[in-house]
Amino acid sequence: MMGPAHSLSGAMAWLGVGAAAAAADHAMPWPVLLVGTLICAGAALAPDLDQKSATISRAFGPISKMLAGIIDKLSEAVYNATRGKGERRRTGGHRTLTHTWVWAVAIGAGFSFAAITWGRWAVLVTLFIHVVLAVEGLLWRMARVSSDVLVWLLGATSAWLLAAVLDEPGNGSDWLFESEPYLWLGLPIVLGSVVHTLGDALTISGCPMLWPLPIAGKRWYSIGTPRFMRFRAGAWVENRVLMPAFMVIGAASGVGAVVLTA
């Protein structure tokens, strides 16, 4: 799928978690629902950091472009080092390492570790990165015609304000993990990455999300829907069916989360 659909699916997923959490008597304070939605929408772009032309690779200028090149080479090296006998050698790492559950869990755990180890500044950096990505994904038309600096300023300002709100007692810094404030911050990041891989599994090439588990003699087996149900990224089914569905489900989940919390 393309960036906007990925971000929208990420936002929908966290709103759905918010509704489920409220129904299970672990309701999210509204700041957690809002911040988690933004983080998940941004994180749903992150697996494409293995591709220099992706939205995330352009989002932070030369820094993200350089990082995309490094991740691409790392992904290629990991694929070629772990491929099965029946799998061809690859040049380029797109849709390999960063599109697996291992990567999703590792990235989420890394951000959670940073938040509980370095506190407020790590939280601010996490929020800044993912708010910028959320803007690039959800508001992509406006983001593309505006200056990158304006998007970064919006991300920095939003991160500062959101962190201040979360720090207030009862606003959710310790949601779900009372003894470790901000430990939950990695959850929307993991979810965003997983939702991204599930979205790519709907497309023609599928996605090796279960690596390194061997399936049919392959380490990088591409999981996907039946062939006749797959589509090309950016096709009409993505824009006219999936994205409207994500908006409706996300809105309904958000309303449900708020109503059940009240």
Side-chain angles (χ1 to χ4, degrees):
M1 291 197 298
M2 305 299 286
H6 279 309
S7 278
L8 197 56
S9 67
M12 175 201 70
W14 188 257
L15 290 168
V17 169
D25 292 329
H26 281 289
M28 299 176 184
W30 70 264
V32 174
L33 186 66
L34 172 61
V35 169
T37 299
L38 291 172
I39 291 177
C40 201
L45 294 179
D48 278 343
L49 192 56
D50 60 2
Q51 185 180 32
K52 291 183 179 179
S53 62
T55 300
I56 185 174
S57 303
R58 303 190 306 266
F60 300 97
I63 294 176
S64 53
K65 286 183 180 179
M66 180 179 68
L67 185 58
I70 294 171
I71 296 299
D72 178 37
K73 293 299 183 184
L74 172 64
S75 299
E76 177 188 331
V78 172
Y79 172 88
N80 287 326
T82 61
R83 64 191 174 95
K85 292 183 179 179
E87 295 173 302
R88 295 181 179 178
R89 189 174 185 83
R90 287 186 56 156
T91 55
H94 183 47
R95 284 204 184 184
T96 55
L97 179 61
T98 62
H99 288 66
T100 66
W101 70 271
V102 175
W103 180 270
V105 172
I107 291 299
F111 276 101
S112 283
F113 175 80
I116 63 177
T117 302
W118 293 294
R120 181 176 176 80
W121 288 107
V123 172
L124 286 171
V125 170
T126 301
L127 291 175
F128 169 71
I129 291 171
H130 290 91
V131 170
V132 168
L133 292 177
V135 170
E136 292 281 358
L138 297 175
L139 304 175
W140 65 278
R141 291 185 186 276
M142 289 179 278
R144 285 188 179 179
V145 299
S146 66
S147 165
D148 285 342
V149 175
L150 290 178
V151 176
W152 299 341
L153 287 174
L154 176 60
T157 303
S158 300
W160 190 269
L161 294 174
L162 291 170
V165 172
L166 283 171
D167 281 340
E168 292 294 322
N171 275 1
S173 64
D174 59 350
W175 175 72
L176 205 60
F177 304 100
E178 294 183 5
S179 61
E180 292 290 353
Y182 292 112
L183 181 59
W184 63 268
L185 215 58
L187 297 179
I189 295 173
V190 174
L191 180 61
S193 294
V194 170
V195 168
H196 179 109
T197 60
L198 290 174
D200 279 351
L202 300 175
T203 61
I204 290 175
S205 57
C207 201
M209 64 181 74
L210 296 182
W211 175 85
L213 300 178
I215 300 175
K218 296 181 178 181
R219 290 285 181 183
W220 296 91
Y221 185 87
S222 290
I223 302 294
T225 52
R227 290 285 178 182
F228 73 91
M229 295 177 62
R230 300 188 192 185
F231 56 87
R232 293 187 181 277
W236 67 269
V237 68
E238 179 179 328
N239 298 318
R240 298 181 185 179
V241 178
L242 293 181
M243 289 183 68
F246 294 157
M247 286 189 280
V248 171
I249 296 171
S253 298
V255 170
V258 172
V259 170
L260 290 170
T261 302

